[in-house]
Amino acid sequence: MSIWRVKPISAFEADMKKSDLKRVLTRWGLTSLGIGAIIGGGIFTLTGIAAHDYAGPALALSFVIAGIGCLFASLCYAEFASVLPVEGSAYAYAYGTIGEIFAWFIGWNLILEYMMGATTVAVAWSGYFVKLLHLFGINIPIWLCNDLHTATAKIIEHNKEFPHDLIDLPTFAFNLPAFLITWVVTAILVKGIKEAASTNNIIVIVKIAVVLFVIICGAFYINADNWHPFIPTEVPALDALGNATGKMNFGFGGVLTAATIVFFAYIGFDAVSTQAGEAINPKKDVPFAIIASLIICTILYILVSLVLTGMVHYDQLDKAAPVASAFSENGLTWAVFIITIAATAGLTSVMLVMMLGQTRIFLGMSRDGLLPPFFSKLHTTFKTPYKSTYLVGTIISIVAALTPIEKVSEMCSMGTLLAFGMVCVAVMILRYKKPELERHYKTPAVYLVGTLGVSFNLFLMTQVRHDTWIAFICWGTLGIIVYFAYSKKRAKLNNPQNEIEEIQ
C-alpha cells in the first residue's frame, strides 16, 4: 500500500457517471458562484486590516501581487478542471497525478482553507450587521458581538477615549451575530444546490452594483494627499493592546504581508472547481468560470482599494467595516446605509460558497475512503451532503463566535497558498505523464506558468507571521497522523480490483 499510489483517470470518470449530485449549474451560474466567493471578504473587510496595519495606500499593490499569484494557479486549475471535472478541487487533481499522500495533505489543508475562510467572513458579517443595527439606533453590547480578545481591546480603547464613561473589562464574550448567520447559511445549503445558487445569484447582482457605486461615487471624494507616502515607512508592529510584537509593519515587507492576508479573498475560483460535480457541462464551463471570476474581481479589488485609501488616510480606516467608514468619514451618511446593507448581504454569499466548497471537499475525500462514510451521506430528498454540512456549520459557528478575525484569515491564507502551489506542480506532472488526455483547455506555456505559480505561492508563504506558521505546522502534523491512523488503511484504492498506478 504505497503512499504514492495514484487514482486512475478511469476511476474519476466512473465517479462522475454514478454521482447522485444534481447537475444544474450553467457557465454563468458557476462564474457567479466564483464572484460570490471572491467579492466580499477582500473588499468589505480585509481592506481595512491590510491597509491599516500593513500596507497603507500600497494595498492596491498587495492586491496586484496576490492577483498575479492567483493568475498562475487559476490557469493550472482551469486545465485540471477540463480533465477531471469532479468535486474535490485540488485534492482530486493531486490524487490523479502526484499521489495519495500529497492528495490527502492538500485535501486536509483545503479543509483548513474553507473552514477558516468561512469563519473569517462570519466575523466580518457580524461587524457589518452590528453597524447596520447601529444605523437604526439598535446597539448590541460589545461582549455579545465580539470574541473576548477583540471585546477587551475595544473597551480599553473606549476607556482611553472616554475616561468619564468607563466600561468594565469583560470576563466572557461571544460573537452572537457570527454564530447565527452561520446557521442561516447552513440551512440554505442543506436545502439544495439550486436554492443556494439562486440565492447567490441575486446577492451577486446587488453586490457588484454596490461595488461599482463605491468606485464611481468614491472617486469624487479622493484626496491624493492620502496616498502619500504610497508605501509608508516601516514602524514597530503593535498588538491589539498596544504592546510591541518585535516585528515591523509597512515598507515593502508590509505590502507582501498584506498580500498574504488578502490572498484568501481570491479562493472563489477554487470554490468553482469544487462544484464540477453539479455543473451541466463541467469540462468547458468550469475553466471559463475560474478565469472569468478571477479577472473580474481582481480589477474591482484594485480599484476599490485605491478609492478607499484615497478617501480616508489609511490609519483612520475602520478594520471591521472599512468601506462604510470611509464614506461616513466623508459625510456621505446616506451612502453608508446602502453599503452596509450590501456588505451584509454580500458577505452572506461568500460564506455560502465557502461552506459549499468545504462540504464538497469532504464529499470527494469520503468517496475515496480517506474520510468516514458520514461525510458522503446524501439527503434522500435534497441530494446534499447534509450531515457534513451540519458538522461544518457547528464548527464554524463556534470558532467564529470565539476567535479574532486576524487569526483565522491568516490560517486560511496558508491553506490556500499551499493548495495553489501543489496544483501548479500537479498540472506539469500530468502534462508530462498523460499527454494523450483530452484537454478542453490547456494552460499556456505550462512549465513556465506552473514553475512561476509554485515559486510565487511558496514565496508568499514565507511572508506569513511566525505564529501562523506554528499553527499551520500543528494542523499539518495532525493531518499526517490522521492519514496513517485511518485514511491509508481504508482508502478504496486498497481494493485489488482497482487499477493502481505508481509514479516512478
Side-chain angles (χ1 to χ4, degrees):
M1 296 190 298
S2 171
I3 63 174
W4 303 106
R5 55 192 173 183
V6 176
K7 183 176 179 179
I9 300 297
S10 58
F12 284 107
E13 293 173 347
D15 287 344
M16 286 185 280
K17 291 179 181 178
K18 67 182 181 182
S19 175
D20 292 327
L21 295 173
K22 294 180 179 180
R23 292 193 177 274
V24 297
L25 296 177
T26 64
R27 168 177 292 193
W28 289 106
L30 288 165
T31 303
S32 179
L33 281 174
I35 295 173
I38 297 173
I39 292 183
I43 287 181
F44 294 122
T45 301
L46 293 185
T47 47
I49 297 170
H52 187 281
D53 292 344
Y54 299 101
L59 174 62
L61 184 57
S62 298
F63 275 118
V64 171
I65 293 171
I68 291 173
C70 284
L71 177 61
F72 295 140
S74 70
L75 295 174
C76 296
Y77 262 94
E79 176 168 329
F80 260 129
S82 72
V83 176
L84 300 174
V86 295
E87 66 275 355
S89 182
Y91 154 75
Y93 305 156
Y95 210 173
T97 55
I98 302 177
E100 186 174 275
I101 183 65
F102 276 100
W104 164 263
F105 196 64
I106 288 179
W108 186 252
N109 283 288
L110 284 173
I111 293 171
L112 177 70
E113 170 190 323
Y114 282 108
M115 196 167 291
M116 292 300 99
T119 302
T120 300
V121 176
V123 177
W125 185 93
S126 174
Y128 271 96
F129 181 70
V130 169
K131 190 173 186 68
L132 179 62
L133 292 181
H134 179 71
L135 292 175
F136 289 97
I138 302 172
N139 296 306
I140 300 178
I142 292 177
W143 64 270
L144 199 55
C145 56
N146 292 280
D147 62 275
L148 182 59
H149 179 80
T150 304
T152 300
K154 286 185 175 182
I155 290 175
I156 290 175
E157 184 178 345
H158 171 87
N159 289 345
K160 288 180 180 179
E161 187 175 354
F162 304 101
H164 300 296
D165 183 27
L166 297 179
I167 301 177
D168 294 333
L169 295 180
T171 56
F172 171 79
F174 188 85
N175 196 330
L176 183 61
F179 181 87
L180 294 178
I181 188 57
T182 302
W183 282 104
V184 171
V185 173
T186 299
I188 294 174
L189 291 177
V190 169
K191 185 68 185 298
I193 181 64
K194 187 173 183 178
E195 289 74 12
S198 298
T199 302
N200 178 74
N201 289 340
I202 296 171
I203 295 174
V204 165
I205 292 172
V206 174
K207 190 160 50 174
I208 291 180
V210 171
V211 168
L212 292 175
F213 166 78
V214 168
I215 294 170
I216 295 171
C217 181
F220 291 98
Y221 293 87
I222 289 176
N223 179 359
D225 292 339
N226 289 330
W227 287 334
H228 299 288
F230 189 69
I231 301 180
T233 305
E234 284 189 336
V235 297
L238 303 177
D239 62 19
L241 301 180
N243 301 315
T245 63
K247 295 189 175 183
M248 303 296 288
N249 286 345
F250 303 110
F252 191 69
V255 173
L256 293 176
T257 300
T260 67
I261 293 174
V262 301
F263 200 91
F264 114 92
Y266 282 99
I267 67 175
F269 76 81
D270 176 274
V272 171
S273 66
T274 68
Q275 305 311 308
E278 289 145 295
I280 296 174
N281 188 9
K283 289 189 176 183
K284 292 183 178 180
D285 293 348
V286 172
F288 172 87
I290 286 173
I291 297 174
S293 60
L294 176 64
I295 292 175
I296 292 170
C297 296
T298 299
I299 294 172
L300 294 177
Y301 273 155
I302 294 170
L303 293 175
V304 168
S305 62
L306 287 171
V307 167
L308 291 185
T309 54
M311 292 179 69
V312 178
H313 198 266
Y314 68 89
D315 60 3
Q316 299 300 313
L317 277 174
D318 178 34
K319 291 195 285 186
V323 181
S325 71
F327 278 77
S328 179
E329 289 290 329
N330 283 272
L332 301 173
T333 53
W334 58 272
V336 174
F337 280 90
I338 298 174
I339 293 168
T340 305
I341 292 172
T344 305
L347 289 170
T348 305
S349 76
V350 180
M351 278 192 68
L352 187 148
V353 178
M354 287 185 174
M355 291 177 66
L356 188 64
Q358 168 75 89
T359 57
R360 271 46 178 187
I361 296 294
F362 277 142
L363 178 63
M365 296 177 73
S366 177
R367 284 181 169 174
D368 290 332
L370 301 183
L371 287 177
F374 168 90
F375 292 97
S376 56
K377 178 67 174 177
L378 299 184
H379 195 283
T380 54
T381 302
F382 304 136
K383 299 301 181 183
T384 56
Y386 69 105
K387 289 187 176 181
S388 65
T389 302
Y390 283 130
L391 176 63
V392 167
T394 300
I395 296 173
I396 291 175
S397 63
I398 294 173
V399 175
L402 302 174
T403 310
I405 189 171
E406 295 90 341
K407 303 295 184 183
V408 290
S409 65
E410 286 196 31
M411 283 299 293
C412 176
S413 293
M414 287 294 282
T416 307
L417 288 165
L418 180 65
F420 285 3
M422 293 306 299
V423 166
C424 292
V425 171
V427 78
M428 292 187 287
I429 292 176
L430 188 63
R431 185 75 71 90
Y432 176 76
K433 290 178 63 65
K434 297 282 186 178
E436 74 282 1
L437 288 177
E438 181 182 9
R439 293 169 169 84
H440 290 276
Y441 173 85
K442 285 189 175 183
T443 303
V446 64
Y447 297 108
L448 174 61
V449 170
T451 301
L452 289 173
V454 173
S455 303
F456 201 91
N457 286 285
L458 291 180
F459 172 72
L460 284 183
M461 289 180 72
T462 66
Q463 304 302 308
V464 176
R465 294 183 306 114
H466 178 70
D467 292 346
T468 305
W469 264 106
I470 293 176
F472 180 71
I473 291 172
C474 291
W475 174 259
T477 302
L478 177 61
I480 296 299
I481 293 173
V482 172
Y483 172 74
F484 283 103
Y486 178 89
S487 305
K488 185 173 182 291
K489 301 173 184 177
R490 291 171 173 80
K492 290 188 177 179
L493 287 186
N494 290 328
N495 187 332
Q497 294 180 350
N498 287 336
E499 176 189 357
I500 299 176
E501 301 177 356
E502 299 283 345
I503 292 182
Q504 302 299 327

